[in-house]
């Protein structure tokens, strides 16, 4: 325990003991002893405060503490030791609470240090020895087993390796690296064991650099200027001037002391801390852990918010985007076979494939005779058929790629997706496109921030430019900064800080330095991102991004209440000081009046415990929201099939084209139109009851009418199908209508999901 912390604890203990002993003595009729106890409770606090004020003054700082010193000294001089003891307790207790709030700084690096590898496996001729990471020298040959963290920066000497660098860059998809490629400390080996040559020692490696960045950021962060201190700069000279005026008018020093008692700064000492601590409690009810009133006060001034991408604006892992199929194949069949085989895989993408199959309700088969090349692919027997799943090179070998494979690869490139090809008996039948995707609540969260007055929203990520820009465009962000390593994120935060108060939101180890650098760092901690949570000032305990907006709104309200309490308290104190100056209040009555003001100020500040009084927005039960979402999931599967039909119409025989157009029409009439009619007839009337503005639903209903119109066009096309051979113009016309329906329904469904997200009741 530091000397300063021990002193603060000793002072508050003395203040509590002296105040309590004095009250007991007063009740026992021992008034002289009571005054002595209260004096002894006050004097140590006065002495310690005087030393601190001199030290702060030498550093160019002066705040509310100076008024506290004058008030306690004046109370003792006036023979009002009880008032002095109360102020002493308030001051020393506030310091202890502040100390508790900032004590976390000593533990910020624990998670980072705990994660750092301590043992490495060094190759010496024909044997492997375990050595301390600190003993590694440049040029050592190291073995990195599967699932271990790379200990130092180096160069891969094996033929290939698959590493997960998400802790360093935020990129959620493991990277395949060839021989000679660089690999960095802190990365996770997501494939088979590989060998590398150390290119740096542990203290100069990438991971050690991240730890140093966090330390430097916390050390360099400017001390927070309390709200009360800013008001104290004006109130302190005003108080002294009025006291001097009272002495000039009356020539009575007691009248000046009455002014000082009336000016006892409890509104300044108590109002802001009480309001912000009440705001902290209110935030906790929403699943938002704020580490003290200081961060909440800083959060209220937020002008710019920087977001990490992976795991923050996105779900933070691979998700199935689409299934590309060979002509004549079924998307569900491709996914079922791929997922059945991936059940036996240890690859990081296997879980995403299996989960996608489960969400579609596909019945998986247990694979036999499984052989896996970690990082490349997997082979096995599923339902009596030899199935392979993996990279394009594994599935196609040296064969010429069919046109559908070229198209799938191109689409994957456009969407920054990873492709898992599936083959049966050596013949490619489809490809699974997987990538990180936008969090469902991200659009709503961004709208909340805009509504709260955040003027600038920026994404800063270690991910590639294409993927980052796609997310930035979807959310209409003000700027997108991609390919940023942790030190670049710190630079981005500092650049924004030079202009306006800045908040950083992230969830990973690579975000920790930026979180520590920002005016306020907010970590999404629901998924156990301990390093980010330790470095952050605010931790969102619920897995919901919109809690960031809630935190800012709560902070702004607490700040507003704190300012109201301070201004009203200072105004009432000024009136009491005026009365004391005129001689209408003696010191003792002035102390009583000041206590009444203090109680009023505290009660007003406690309003921050409660949510703001506003028009209550009715919500839809979460169970109903889940049903709506499940309906959309089923509809998306139908839209995937429509897309596959449209793709197949590019080059098919006339009879096959006729069958595909008929199939597409059946999907549109039986599934799409039925779904949209159900929305219009039952869902939208329910939404209209809870939405504050019904104009948006009118626009959504307009989309229903357009979908119905396109559905009628497709139905007419089916009615007009010629009995003879289809000409290519007919096929192209039908294809355009099918593509228009598929695209319109997708965007319409996404818009409805945003509406559901806004009105469905979520647990705090």
């Amino acid at each position: 325990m530091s000397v300063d912390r021990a002193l603060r604890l000793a002072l508050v203990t003395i203040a509590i003991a002296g105040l309590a002993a004095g009250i007991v003595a007063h009740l026992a009729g021992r008034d002289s002893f009571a005054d002595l106890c209260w004096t002894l409770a006050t004097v140590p606090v006065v002495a310690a405060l005087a030393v601190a004020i001199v030290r702060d003054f030498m550093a160019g700082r002066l705040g509310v503490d100076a008024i506290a010193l004058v008030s306690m000294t004046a109370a003792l001089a006036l023979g009002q030791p009880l008032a002095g003891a109360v102020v002493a307790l308030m001051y020393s207790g506030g310091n202890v609470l502040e100390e508790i709030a900032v004590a976390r700084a000593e533990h910020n690096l624990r998670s980072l240090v705990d994660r750092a590898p301590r043992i490495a496996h060094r190759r010496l001729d024909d044997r492997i020895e375990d050595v301390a990471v600190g003993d590694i020298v440049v040029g050592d040959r190291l073995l990195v087993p599967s699932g271990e963290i790379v200990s130092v920066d180096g160069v891969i000497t094996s033929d290939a390796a698959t590493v997960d660098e998400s802790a360093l860059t935020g990129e959620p998809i493991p990277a395949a690296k060839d021989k000679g490629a660089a690999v960095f400390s802190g990365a996770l080996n997501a494939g088979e064991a590989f060998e590398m040559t150390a290119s740096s020692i542990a203290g100069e490696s990438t991971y050690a650099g991240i730890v140093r960045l966090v330390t430097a950021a916390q050390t360099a962060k400017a001390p927070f200027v309390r709200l009360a201190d800013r008001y104290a700069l004006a109130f302190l000279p005003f108080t002294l001037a009025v006291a001097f005026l009272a002495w000039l008018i009356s020539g009575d020093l007691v009248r000046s002391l009455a002014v000082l008692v009336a000016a006892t700064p409890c509104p300044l000492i108590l109002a802001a801390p009480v309001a912000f601590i009440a705001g902290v409690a209110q935030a906790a009810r929403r699943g938002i852990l704020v580490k003290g009133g200081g961060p909440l006060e800083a959060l209220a001034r937020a002008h710019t918010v920087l977001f990490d991408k992976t795991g923050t604006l996105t779900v933070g892992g691979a998700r199935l985007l689409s299934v590309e199929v060979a002509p004549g194949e079924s998307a569900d069949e491709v996914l079922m076979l791929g997922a059945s085989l991936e059940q036996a895989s240890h690859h990081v993408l296997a879980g995403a494939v299996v989960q996608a199959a489960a969400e579609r309700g596909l019945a998986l088969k247990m694979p036999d005779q499984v052989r896996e090349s970690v990082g490349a692919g997997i082979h096995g027997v599923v339902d009596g058929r030899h199935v392979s799943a993996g990279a394009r090179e594994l599935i196609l070998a040296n064969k010429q790629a069919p046109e559908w494979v070229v198209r799938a690869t191109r689409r994957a490139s456009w969407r920054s997706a990873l492709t898992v090809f599936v083959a049966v008996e050596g013949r490619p039948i489809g490809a699974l496109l997987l990538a990180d995707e936008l969090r469902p609540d991200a659009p709503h969260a961004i709208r909340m921030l805009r509504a709260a007055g955040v003027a600038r929203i920026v994404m800063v990520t270690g991910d590639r430019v294409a993927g980052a820009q796609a997310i930035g465009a979807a959310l209409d962000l003000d700027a997108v900064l991609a390919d940023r390593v942790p030190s670049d994120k710190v630079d981005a935060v500092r650049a924004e800080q030079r202009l306006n108060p800045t908040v950083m939101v992230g969830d990973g180890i690579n975000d920790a330095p930026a979180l520590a650098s920002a005016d306020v760092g907010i970590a999404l901690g629901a998924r156990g991102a301990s390093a980010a949570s330790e470095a952050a000032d605010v931790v969102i305990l619920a897995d919901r991004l919109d809690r960031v907006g809630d935190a800012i709104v709560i902070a702004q309200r607490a700040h507003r209440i704190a300012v109201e309490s301070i201004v009203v308290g200072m105004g009432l104190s000024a009136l009491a000081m005026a009365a004391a100056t005129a001689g209408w209040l003696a010191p003792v009555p002035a102390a009583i009046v000041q206590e009444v003001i203090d109680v009023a100020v505290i009660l007003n500040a406690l309003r921050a415990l409660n949510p703001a009084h506003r028009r209550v927005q009715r919500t839809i039960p979460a169970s109903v929201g889940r049903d709506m979402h499940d309906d959309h999931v089923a509809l998306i599967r139908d839209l995937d099939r429509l897309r596959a039909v449209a793709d197949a119409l590019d080059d098919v025989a006339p009879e096959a084209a006729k069958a595909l157009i008929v199939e597409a029409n059946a999907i549109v009439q039986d599934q799409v139109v039925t779904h949209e009619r159900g929305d219009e007839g039952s869902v939208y009337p329910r939404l209209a009851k809870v939405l504050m503005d019904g104009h948006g639903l009118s626009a959504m209903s307009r989309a229903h009418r357009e979908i119905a119109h396109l559905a009628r066009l497709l139905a007419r096309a089916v009615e007009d199908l010629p009995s003879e051979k289809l000409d290519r113009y007919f096929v192209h016309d039908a294809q355009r209508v099918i593509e228009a329906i598929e695209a319109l329904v997708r965007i319409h469904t996404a818009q409805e999901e945003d509406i559901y997200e806004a009105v469905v009741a979520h647990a705090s």
Side-chain angles (χ1 to χ4, degrees), residues 467-492:
Q469 288 181 340
I471 297 297
L475 295 174
D476 193 24
L477 304 182
D478 296 303
V480 174
L481 307 176
D483 287 325
R484 284 343 194 238
V485 298
S487 59
D488 294 332
K489 291 186 177 183
V490 173
D491 291 341

Side-chain angles (χ1 to χ4, degrees), residues 347-358:
H347 195 277
V348 291
L349 297 180
V353 176
V354 174
Q355 181 182 352

Side-chain angles (χ1 to χ4, degrees), residues 316-359:
R319 296 292 188 275
L320 181 67
L321 297 182
S322 65
V323 181
E324 303 290 332
V325 298
E329 299 294 340
S330 163
D332 283 351
E333 180 74 3
V334 171
L335 179 56
M336 185 276 293
L337 291 173
S340 296
L341 191 57
E342 294 287 5
Q343 291 178 105
S345 174
H346 298 290
H347 195 277
V348 291
L349 297 180
V353 176
V354 174
Q355 181 182 352
E359 290 174 350

Side-chain angles (χ1 to χ4, degrees), residues 201-280:
I201 61 176
E204 298 176 357
S205 291
T206 301
Y207 197 79
I210 291 178
V211 176
R212 286 194 297 272
L213 281 171
V214 176
T215 306
Q218 291 176 336
T219 303
K221 184 180 286 189
F224 182 72
V225 180
R226 292 175 296 175
L227 179 68
D229 289 342
R230 295 195 296 274
Y231 282 91
L233 291 176
F235 195 61
L236 175 58
F238 173 74
T239 299
L240 297 177
V242 173
F244 181 70
L245 178 64
W247 177 69
L248 286 179
I249 293 174
S250 65
D252 185 1
L253 189 59
V254 173
R255 187 176 295 190
S256 295
L257 295 176
V259 171
L260 292 176
V261 171
T264 300
C266 282
L268 282 173
I269 294 175
L270 297 177
V274 169
F276 284 113
I277 293 301
V280 169

Side-chain angles (χ1 to χ4, degrees), residues 185-202:
S185 61
L188 175 70
N189 182 6
E192 294 180 329
F194 66 86
E195 292 189 4
M196 58 175 283
T197 300
S199 61
S200 69
I201 61 176

Side-chain angles (χ1 to χ4, degrees), residues 442-458:
H444 177 55
I446 298 301
R447 288 196 299 271
M448 285 187 65
L449 291 176
R450 300 289 191 193
V454 174
R456 179 169 167 81
I457 302 178
V458 179

Side-chain angles (χ1 to χ4, degrees), residues 32-330:
S32 296
F33 184 70
D35 288 347
L36 177 62
C37 291
W38 291 330
T39 300
L40 292 177
T42 307
V43 169
V45 178
V46 170
L49 181 55
V51 173
I53 287 177
V54 171
R55 185 175 55 197
D56 289 345
F57 183 77
M58 297 298 292
R61 297 191 301 270
L62 183 65
V64 70
D65 297 345
I67 303 180
L69 177 64
V70 173
S71 300
M72 286 186 285
T73 304
L76 293 178
L78 279 171
Q80 300 291 329
L82 175 58
V86 170
V87 175
L89 177 60
M90 294 298 180
Y91 174 78
S92 58
N95 281 340
V96 170
L97 291 176
E98 185 177 4
E99 176 70 24
I100 293 173
V102 302
R104 64 174 179 83
E106 299 179 359
H107 307 289
N108 281 348
L109 302 180
R110 181 181 302 164
S111 298
L112 292 173
V113 174
D114 288 347
R115 185 183 184 274
R118 292 173 172 78
I119 299 295
H121 313 286
R122 182 164 58 190
R123 177 178 289 280
L124 293 176
D125 298 327
D126 296 331
R127 63 188 177 89
I128 302 292
E129 67 171 3
D130 290 346
V131 297
V133 171
D135 294 336
I136 296 174
V137 298
V138 176
D140 278 351
R141 296 168 58 200
L142 305 176
L143 175 69
V144 183
S146 177
E148 283 201 5
I149 295 173
V150 178
S151 55
V152 296
D153 294 351
V155 176
I156 296 173
T157 56
S158 300
D159 290 337
T162 302
V163 294
D164 179 358
E165 298 178 324
S166 58
L168 306 177
T169 66
E171 167 56 51
I173 306 299
K177 292 181 177 287
D178 298 326
K179 183 177 181 178
V183 63
F184 303 105
S185 61
L188 175 70
N189 182 6
E192 294 180 329
F194 66 86
E195 292 189 4
M196 58 175 283
T197 300
S199 61
S200 69
I201 61 176
E204 298 176 357
S205 291
T206 301
Y207 197 79
I210 291 178
V211 176
R212 286 194 297 272
L213 281 171
V214 176
T215 306
Q218 291 176 336
T219 303
K221 184 180 286 189
F224 182 72
V225 180
R226 292 175 296 175
L227 179 68
D229 289 342
R230 295 195 296 274
Y231 282 91
L233 291 176
F235 195 61
L236 175 58
F238 173 74
T239 299
L240 297 177
V242 173
F244 181 70
L245 178 64
W247 177 69
L248 286 179
I249 293 174
S250 65
D252 185 1
L253 189 59
V254 173
R255 187 176 295 190
S256 295
L257 295 176
V259 171
L260 292 176
V261 171
T264 300
C266 282
L268 282 173
I269 294 175
L270 297 177
V274 169
F276 284 113
I277 293 301
V280 169
Q282 170 64 13
R285 296 175 188 169
R286 297 287 293 163
I288 305 165
L289 174 61
V290 183
K291 299 177 181 178
L296 194 74
E297 185 175 341
L299 192 61
R301 306 175 198 159
H303 175 279
T304 301
V305 176
L306 278 71
F307 283 98
D308 172 51
K309 181 180 82 71
T310 305
T312 304
L313 292 174
T314 66
V315 295
R319 296 292 188 275
L320 181 67
L321 297 182
S322 65
V323 181
E324 303 290 332
V325 298
E329 299 294 340
S330 163

